[in-house]
Amino acid sequence: MGGNDQQAYDRGTSLFSPDGRIYQVEYAREAVSRGAPSVGVRTTEGVVFVAMSRASSTLMEAESIEKLHKLDDHVGTASAGHVADARQLIDLARRQSQGNRLRYGEPVGVETLTKFVTDHIQENTQRGGTRPYGAALLIGGIDEGRPRLFAADPSGTPNEWKATVIGGGRKDIQGHLEEAWTDDLSLSEGIELALAALAAHDDEFEPADVAVATITEADGYRTVPVEEVEDAFAAAGLDIEPEDESDEDGESDADSE
């Protein structure tokens, strides 16, 4: 009977275990931790998002991997975990942003939008017949001229951060952010910090393997082109793998051995 009781707590989305845990929420957090990491950094000029978006196969189109999303002109999000779950939350946030503009004629507040999304996430932890979202979001933007950055996890808890990471490698990445973040970071320094933090967990990635976006009061949401990412790589002291060099006769070194 004890084993059956344990399985009931294990399966039930809305059941607390005797020690006060909801196992399905913890499993959802584990799903997020197995995803590719996404980093958010708040700077003096705006918010920086850097997400690992490396293709799992050489046959996959890298452009089809979406980790960073524009929610409105002044706010964006980065995701980690199950992509399909994240897309549902992103669509919800976009509808709320558009509805706020239509209803009140002004952009939605970053904190207001975050709490709307996390309220929806939390509902799935207390209703039967559903499961928690297996995704986490970073939501950042400009709120009355001030950069703000929030994180939302599968429990529906909203927390505001100066810099944070969701997804895999959290211990190493968050540790680097805590050591290196300062309150006078420029936007470019924020990008370099996020790249260096990712490298603290995985130093074998290239500029094409990451997606970078910034949100500022002047430019709004902006996707950073790969050429600028390469410059940030160099500024952060990260090595970019050189392309294979060919011999004069056109054969590579490997072919000539």
Side-chain angles (χ1 to χ4, degrees):
M1 291 296 292
N4 291 335
D5 289 344
Q6 176 65 35
Q7 290 177 7
Y9 298 129
D10 190 80
R11 292 194 301 265
T13 307
S14 57
L15 294 178
F16 282 99
S17 70
D19 57 350
R21 299 161 64 186
I22 300 178
Y23 287 109
Q24 290 299 315
V25 173
E26 296 185 19
Y27 297 155
R29 286 175 173 157
E30 180 63 23
V32 172
S33 71
R34 293 173 181 269
S38 295
V39 177
V41 178
R42 193 182 73 194
T43 72
T44 57
E45 302 171 61
V47 175
V48 170
F49 288 135
V50 177
M52 191 71 73
S53 58
R54 181 187 294 147
S56 59
S57 170
T58 56
L59 299 179
M60 180 183 292
E61 291 287 355
E63 292 78 9
S64 66
I65 304 174
E66 296 180 307
K67 297 293 296 294
L68 307 181
H69 302 263
K70 178 180 178 180
L71 302 180
D72 202 342
D73 291 337
H74 69 297
V75 62
T77 185
S79 65
H82 287 293
V83 175
D85 285 14
R87 288 187 64 85
Q88 292 297 309
L89 296 174
I90 291 163
D91 288 345
L92 176 74
R94 283 174 170 166
R95 290 194 298 269
Q96 180 67 10
S97 299
Q98 294 168 3
N100 196 87
R101 282 190 181 273
L102 290 172
R103 187 175 298 112
Y104 303 112
E106 62 183 19
V108 67
V110 179
E111 182 175 6
T112 301
L113 180 62
T114 300
K115 289 185 175 179
F116 176 82
V117 173
T118 53
D119 285 349
H120 177 78
I121 294 172
Q122 193 276 336
E123 288 179 5
N124 277 37
T125 69
Q126 67 179 39
R127 293 189 306 183
T130 65
R131 63 164 175 80
Y133 285 92
L137 298 179
L138 297 177
I139 300 175
I142 305 299
D143 203 344
E144 297 182 351
R146 184 160 64 100
R148 303 191 73 180
L149 173 66
F150 292 85
D153 79 343
S155 71
T157 303
N159 291 310
E160 186 167 8
W161 293 83
K162 299 172 183 177
T164 191
V165 58
I166 54 176
R170 177 175 175 80
K171 181 178 180 181
D172 294 334
I173 297 171
Q174 190 68 34
H176 185 90
L177 292 173
E178 291 174 356
E179 291 177 2
W181 188 90
T182 60
D183 57 8
D184 60 350
L185 284 175
S186 67
L187 199 68
S188 59
E189 289 170 340
I191 296 175
E192 294 163 19
L193 171 60
L195 291 170
L198 285 175
H201 170 64
D202 177 6
D203 60 359
E204 296 183 357
F205 67 96
E206 301 176 359
D209 296 329
V210 296
V212 181
T214 59
I215 308 164
T216 62
E217 188 171 16
D219 299 328
Y221 183 95
R222 174 178 178 265
T223 300
V224 178
V226 67
E227 293 80 13
E228 294 183 28
V229 177
E230 291 174 351
D231 293 339
F233 254 71
L238 303 178
D239 294 329
I240 301 176
E241 290 293 332
E243 296 181 359
D244 292 337
E245 296 182 357
S246 299
D247 295 335
E248 293 181 358
D249 60 0
E251 293 182 345
S252 66
D253 293 339
D255 291 335
S256 61
E257 292 179 354

